[in-house]
Amino acid sequence: MSPINLKSPITVAHGDGIGPEIMAASLRVLEAAGAQLEIETVEIGEAVYLQGHSSGITAETWDSLRRTRVFYKAPISTPQGGGFKSLNVTVRKTLGLYANVRPCVAYAPFVETRHPKMDLVIIRENEEDLYAGIEHRQTDEVFQCLKLVSRPGCERIVRYAFEYARANGRRKVTCLTKDNIMKLTDGLFHKVFDEIGQDYPELEKHHAIIDIGAARLADTPEDFDVIVTLNLYGDILSDIAAQVAGSVGLAGSANIGDQVSMFEAIHGSAPDLAGQDKANPSGVLLAGVMMLNHLGQSPVAERIHNAWLATLEDGIHTADVYKAGRSKALVGTKAFAEAVIARLGQEPKTLPVVRYGANAPMAIAAPPRRPPARKETIGVDLFVQWRGGPQDLAQQLQAIAGGPLELKMITNRGVKVWPGGMPETFCTDHWRCRFMNGGGPVALSEIVALSHRAAEAGVDFIKTEHLCTFDGEPGFSLGQGQ
Ligand code: NAD
């Protein structure tokens, strides 16, 4: 009988720049603390890009990730110039890593910060929004990037944020969106937050518009606890939060998916420090702590985290956080790791001791899909490239209206310019021309017939977008100025 293997398989990439140094230091700490890991080492990043793999990752690495399902990744360098795709975005989207979890904590008075009480976690939607990367140049003057937000995507990330808050003893979840402007996409995220929040009566819930939310995060981060937000806002906010907390060298992150999860520092490969034994390994080490929790090795995660806090408290600091007077010893990457190892079994005396529950849930099941709504098509927006003014365009389009479809309005960059409109409005060459049947149903064949008449009349239309209601609710925005 072969012995039972209690070790968790993981895929490790040592990355570029400071990556190999900080990953080696971190693995030493994990091993010394008793982490049970079976490591498959892969190569990603600069060398792989330059071998001709446009995403910086090879087929062998995908195979390893499918086998181990856990990716412990050091930062990589993305070569300058066109043709190279972001490895992180590729890995997140390909493997369905739907949640990006980034704790941002201040360690005052041991690490200098203006916000000593800051202790928050940003939970960022990781697959949708503008990161779908669907962009088009539509006219001479106008370029478009599609912002895609799905109900299952929102439900999953919002549920994850509440579950995370509950499992980690957090008290408040704040949702940040721009739903005063994007009423359908960001509005859906906010609505789902309100719906799912009802299942968590013990947690405080708050929604703020992203602009004032970001301002408050920079000014009074101690007022936040768990933040849940869409992909782009989360990307920007988490860098603000890490910077405000003290150093980019101190934060780790988890990218959670159904099949595979990825753990890494938030910073890049810092080529300015590479090969000098100066980089702070804490970001990748704390990502390792998150990984051990994910693997069910929480006692080891707790030992490492507390020893790391004790090291910071003892004033043993790498150059990025070292301050004469406050710090006791300036150390390099390797010596810092050795100092953490020497403190395994110790706990911090001033900073809060970390306690991880035995089985903190780090992943949740996909929410059930809803039955489809009753959908009715009631019109179409014809997007047209046109160099003239709105009156001439309206005349041309009224000539092709027919059947039940009447020209109802024309907007330019979302502002209504016909009927009515103001001479001050600047108009580009990109027009949205709305045809409707007075609110009544429209057959798809009538939309095809309209497009056909537009083509015959030489109207340079570049796309159509159907106007539908879902259970009687309009599924489209109105033009500003209506
Ligand atoms: P960076 O995060 O590498 O460096 C920014 C600054 O922070 C530098 O001054 C650096 O010295 C410092 N710094 C970063 N990590 C540190 C650490 N552990 N200890 C001490 N100081 C640290 O960002 P950048 O300079 O904009 O990017 C460099 C490269 O990293 C680029 O090729 C970029 O594409 C890549 N990058 C990779 C990832 C990733 O793999 N997840 C993320 C961001 C950037």
Side-chain angles (χ1 to χ4, degrees), residues 20 85 102 204 218 224 242 253 265 322 325 366 411 448:
K85 287 194 271 181
R102 213 182 244 205
E204 206 184 308
F224 292 87
S253 75
Y322 182 87
T411 68
V448 174

Side-chain angles (χ1 to χ4, degrees), residues 120-124 161 172-176 217 224-229 237:
L120 60 87
V121 181
I122 295 179
I123 297 191
R124 159 187 168 196
K172 177 161 104 177
V173 183
T174 303
C175 173
L176 298 175
L217 180 67
F224 292 87
D225 195 359
V226 173
I227 294 173
V228 64
T229 189
L237 284 189

Side-chain angles (χ1 to χ4, degrees), residues 160-215:
Y160 186 90
F162 280 111
E163 284 295 317
Y164 181 96
R166 185 177 265 176
N168 290 279
R170 298 274 173 172
R171 66 196 149 76
K172 177 161 104 177
V173 183
T174 303
C175 173
L176 298 175
T177 74
K178 187 80 182 170
D179 67 341
N180 54 332
I181 302 295
M182 284 160 277
K183 297 187 164 85
L184 290 182
T185 47
D186 284 32
L188 174 67
F189 198 93
H190 186 177
K191 190 170 168 204
V192 166
F193 177 77
D194 289 343
E195 285 167 11
I196 291 184
Q198 290 178 12
D199 295 344
Y200 300 84
E202 79 280 17
L203 293 172
E204 206 184 308
K205 293 161 278 282
H206 183 60
H207 172 270
I209 300 297
I210 182 72
D211 35 8
I212 187 63

